Amino acid sequence: MYGLYFHEETKIDTAVIIPVYNEASVIGPVIKKVKKHFATVICVNDGSRDGSSAQIVKAGGILIEHAINLGAGAATQTGVDYALLDPKIRYFITIDADGQHEIEDAVGMIKFLKKKDLDIVLGSRFLSQPENIPAPKRLLLKLAAIFSKGMSGVQLSDPHVGLRVFNRRFAKNLNLTMPGFAHASELVHRIGEGDFKFAEYPIQVIYNDYTRGKGQSMLNAVNISVDLFHHRISKK
Amino acid sequence: MIAIQVILVAGFTFLFWRFLSNPGSHQVHAWIKIFTFLFTVLAIIAVIFPNTSNRLAEAVGVTTGASLLLYALTLAFIFVVINIYSRGKEDERRRALIVRRIALLEAQLRNKKKS
C-alpha cells in the first residue's frame, strides 16, 4: 500500500523536462514511456521545423515552443522555469528527446536523491557500461570530464550527460545562459558554485544509428570550449 | 626592437581583454571613438607628410612605415573580430531571453485556456 502511495507521490511532485529539436520521428514513444512514471512531461520544442510539436501534443506532453532554435541549454532552462511556476513540483528530471535514456534509470535516480538527501544526481555512462560507448565518443567524453573538472572543480566521470535529477533548490539556482551544449559545463559549474550535494548514478545509454547521428562532434567541442572561455571572462 | 614588441603585445592584450570582458560598456564605446579619432588624425598626418610614418617606424624600431602600418592594421583587424564576436554573443544572450520569455507566456496562456 505504501509502495503505491510513494509511486503516486512521485508522479505529481516531479516534472520531466525534454528539450526537443527536430525529433518528430522519435519523441512520441519517448513521451509515452515517460508518462507511465511521471504525469508532468514538459517538452520544449526548440524551433523544430519537422512537426515535433504535433507529436508532443499527440503523446500528451506539455508543449512550450521557442520561436527559433536556441540550443539545448536554453530549452532546458525554459522547461525548468515553467516547472518552477508550479509550487507542487519538488523534483526535476532532464532527459534527452532521442530515446537514448531509460526512464527507469530516472526513477532510480529520484529514489537515490531522496534517500541520500542530495540536491542533484547526474547519470553516468562510465559507471555502468563504458565498453558500450563508441571509442571516439569515449575519448571526447573523457576530455570533457577533465576540462569540466578544471573549469568548475567538480569531479564527474560524465559531465555531458543529458539525464539528470535535481531538487527545487538546485532548479532555482540553475540559470543556464549558455547556448547549445556548453550548458552541460555550465550546469556542472553551478554545482561547484552553490556547494550543492551531488552524486553520480550508473545509467544505461542506448546507442543506435539515430542517437549516434545526433551526438556531439569533436569540432563542436572546440566551439563549446571557446564559448565557455568567453563566458568565463565576460562580466555580466 | 624586442622592447617595443613586448610593450605593444602587452598593451594590446590588456586592451583586448578589457574590450572582450565588457563589450557593451560605455568605456569601451568611448575608447573605440578615441581610437578612431587618433587613427584619422594619424592618417591625415601621414598623407600630408608622407615621411612621418617612416620616421615613426624608425623611432619604435620597425624598419619601414609600411610595415608599421601593416602591424597596426593587423592589430586593428584582430580587435574588430573579437569585438564582433563579443557583440554577437551578447545579442545571442538577449535574443534567447526574449524568445524564452515569449515561449513561457504563450505556454501559460495556452494552459489557462485549457483549464
Side-chain angles (χ1 to χ4, degrees), chain A residues 62-68 70 74 77-78 81-82 85 176-177 179 226-227 229-230 233-236, chain B residues 17-18 20-23 85-86 89-90 92-93 95-96 99-100 102-104 106-108 110-111 114:
Chain A
I62 297 168
L63 174 67
I64 306 180
E65 288 199 278
H66 282 171
I68 53 171
L70 296 176
Q77 186 60 48
T78 302
D81 284 349
Y82 189 79
L85 293 172
L176 297 174
T177 57
V226 173
D227 282 349
F229 174 73
H230 176 250
I233 65 166
S234 292
K235 290 174 200 153
K236 283 283 166 286
Chain B
W17 190 270
R18 287 294 305 266
L20 192 63
S21 66
N22 213 345
Y85 173 81
S86 291
K89 285 284 153 201
E90 180 60 17
E92 193 176 67
R93 198 182 66 82
R95 193 167 54 234
V99 171
R100 294 190 41 239
I102 293 171
L104 283 171
E106 224 175 39
Q108 280 171 270
R110 203 180 309 136
N111 284 353
K114 264 189 202 168

Side-chain angles (χ1 to χ4, degrees), chain A residues 15 21 42 53 59 86 97 138 184 195 211:
Chain A
Y21 183 56
I42 299 169
S53 296
D86 184 350
R138 201 156 55 204
D195 213 12
T211 55

Side-chain angles (χ1 to χ4, degrees), chain A residues 90-132:
Chain A
R90 293 166 62 205
Y91 302 101
F92 302 72
I93 297 171
T94 67
I95 189 167
D96 286 359
D98 58 9
Q100 63 166 289
H101 299 135
E102 299 280 10
I103 191 64
E104 287 74 19
D105 280 335
V107 175
M109 286 164 79
I110 287 270
K111 282 183 185 159
F112 184 67
L113 179 126
K114 287 178 180 171
K115 199 175 141 195
K116 300 269 177 190
D117 192 27
L118 299 164
D119 292 305
I120 177 164
V121 175
L122 299 103
S124 171
R125 293 161 272 196
F126 285 100
L127 296 182
S128 54
Q129 26 116 273
E131 65 283 353
N132 287 5

Side-chain angles (χ1 to χ4, degrees), chain A residues 102-172:
Chain A
E102 299 280 10
I103 191 64
E104 287 74 19
D105 280 335
V107 175
M109 286 164 79
I110 287 270
K111 282 183 185 159
F112 184 67
L113 179 126
K114 287 178 180 171
K115 199 175 141 195
K116 300 269 177 190
D117 192 27
L118 299 164
D119 292 305
I120 177 164
V121 175
L122 299 103
S124 171
R125 293 161 272 196
F126 285 100
L127 296 182
S128 54
Q129 26 116 273
E131 65 283 353
N132 287 5
I133 307 168
K137 179 125 193 150
R138 201 156 55 204
L139 176 70
L140 188 65
L141 290 170
K142 286 266 184 225
L143 287 173
I146 295 166
F147 185 73
S148 185
K149 167 94 172 81
M151 297 288 274
S152 65
V154 177
Q155 177 85 55
L156 292 170
S157 62
D158 194 3
H160 278 252
V161 71
L163 182 55
R164 315 169 191 100
V165 166
F166 44 90
N167 62 13
R168 204 172 170 91
R169 190 169 89 89
F170 186 79
K172 277 185 180 167

